[in-house]
């Protein structure tokens, strides 16, 4: 699948190369494409670099991997996302790593409000960049889970397919409003890693449920 990866920080440059190595065509979008061209060339697998707008136009799926506070200006720079599957990887964090929104809305719902003609799915916000970078997503019964949610069934199917293409287990958390629960989950992971001292090698695994503890996928 053609993927536009917008933002080339820790997530963009860890998840993006993993997607490229898994068979996706990835164009990295940056505010400064010249700065990233050399690095992107090293990723191989046909990965390319461009502006936010070029990455947005290229991708059938467009990943948003920028700080939450930069989302509005990023979406403006990206231009129309009409008809795209938009994967919101952001976590709405304050400077002191607390949740900036929650209960009545979420980063994902605000993204959907900003691009109403796109299929917005929340995903890829609950695993640390270092884990993508190491490419260690677990195997067999220990394959890591990826929570996702959204209101557009076709967009959700697409994202579930991308999640599976990386070897992760898609866990359907329901409608986009479930991002109000998934985003705080990421904040909990940050607390466990950096305040409780567990480190950023931790990841989350759901066990049990109707499909059995070793089910290949969960949810609807
Ligand atoms: N780090 C993690 O482990 C992790 C895990 C899950 C989710 N997330 C979420 O994913 C998003 C990206 O996280 P990250 O760790 O990759 O962040 P990061 O390392 O700070 O990189 C963010 C990228 O966003 C772009 N950007 C656009 N506007 C910006 C601005 N005003 N200030 C700074 N950067 C700006 C930049 O790319 P260009 O310069 O190329 O435009 C930058 O490299 C965040 O919302 C974060 O909460 C992070």
């Amino acid at each position: 699948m053609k993927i536009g990866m917008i933002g080339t920080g820790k997530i963009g440059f860890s998840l993006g190369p993993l997607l490229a190595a898994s068979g996706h065509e990835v164009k990295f979008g940056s505010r400064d494409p010249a700065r990233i061209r050399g690095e992107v060339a090293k990723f191989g697998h046909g990965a390319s670099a461009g502006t936010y707008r070029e990455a947005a136009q290229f991708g059938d799926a467009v990943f948003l991997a920028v700080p939450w506070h930069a989302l509005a200006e990023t979406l403006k720079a990206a231009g129309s996302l009409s008809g795209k599957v938009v994967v919101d990887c952001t976590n709405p964090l304050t400077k002191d790593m607390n949740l900036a929104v929650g209960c009545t809305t979420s980063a994902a719902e605000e993204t959907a409000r900003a691009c109403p003609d796109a299929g917005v799915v929340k995903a890829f916000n609950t695993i640390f960049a270092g884990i993508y970078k190491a490419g260690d997503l677990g195997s067999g019964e220990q394959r890591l889970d990826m929570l996702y949610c959204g209101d557009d069934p076709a967009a959700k199917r697409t994202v579930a397919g991308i999640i599976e293409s990386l070897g992760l287990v898609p866990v359907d958390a329901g409608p986009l409003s479930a991002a109000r629960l998934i985003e705080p989950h990421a904040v909990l992971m940050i607390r466990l890693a950096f305040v409780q001292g567990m480190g950023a090698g931790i990841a989350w695994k759901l066990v049990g449920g109707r499909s059995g503890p070793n089910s290949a996928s969960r949810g609807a």
Side-chain angles (χ1 to χ4, degrees):
M1 155 159 291
K2 286 185 167 180
I3 290 177
M5 177 61 73
I6 294 191
T8 63
K10 291 182 281 300
I11 284 294
F13 268 7
S14 59
L15 181 56
L18 202 57
L19 288 162
S22 303
H24 300 285
E25 282 180 73
V26 182
K27 185 181 275 295
F28 292 86
S30 175
R31 293 168 299 176
D32 183 1
R35 182 181 56 78
I36 63 162
R37 274 190 220 289
E39 190 69 17
V40 168
K42 288 187 211 152
F43 296 151
H45 305 287
S48 59
T51 61
Y52 283 177
R53 190 168 293 256
E54 286 165 346
Q57 283 171 356
F58 175 84
D60 295 319
V62 178
F63 281 56
L64 301 173
V66 300
W68 182 69
H69 65 77
L71 207 45
E73 66 188 73
T74 297
L75 290 172
K76 200 169 159 199
S80 172
L81 292 170
S82 178
K84 306 280 183 180
V85 172
V86 170
V87 184
D88 180 353
C89 310
T90 68
N91 283 312
L93 300 173
T94 60
K95 283 201 172 95
D96 57 354
M97 294 293 173
N98 277 307
L99 205 54
V101 292
C103 292
T104 56
T105 189
S106 58
E109 289 164 279
E110 295 306 309
T111 299
R113 250 187 282 283
C115 32
D117 299 326
V120 175
V121 177
K122 185 88 210 177
F124 293 101
N125 67 311
T126 51
I127 288 184
F128 288 115
I131 293 179
Y132 296 130
K133 189 132 197 149
D136 183 12
L137 305 180
S139 59
E141 293 169 13
Q142 293 303 314
R143 283 199 299 149
L144 299 184
D145 289 332
M146 177 54 65
L147 290 160
Y148 70 104
C149 66
D151 292 333
D152 179 328
K156 282 177 79 171
R157 277 195 296 278
T158 298
V159 174
I162 295 172
I163 292 168
E164 283 186 321
S165 74
L166 296 181
L168 291 163
V169 179
V171 180
D172 185 351
L176 198 62
S177 59
R180 297 175 199 179
L181 306 173
I182 298 178
E183 291 166 5
H185 175 84
V187 179
L188 172 65
M189 296 298 281
I190 291 168
R191 289 277 178 93
L192 292 175
F194 302 113
V195 180
Q196 296 303 108
M198 294 178 188
I202 57 170
W204 181 80
K205 181 78 198 154
L206 182 67
V207 297
R210 202 175 50 211
S211 316
N214 301 322
S215 167
S217 72
R218 298 175 198 283

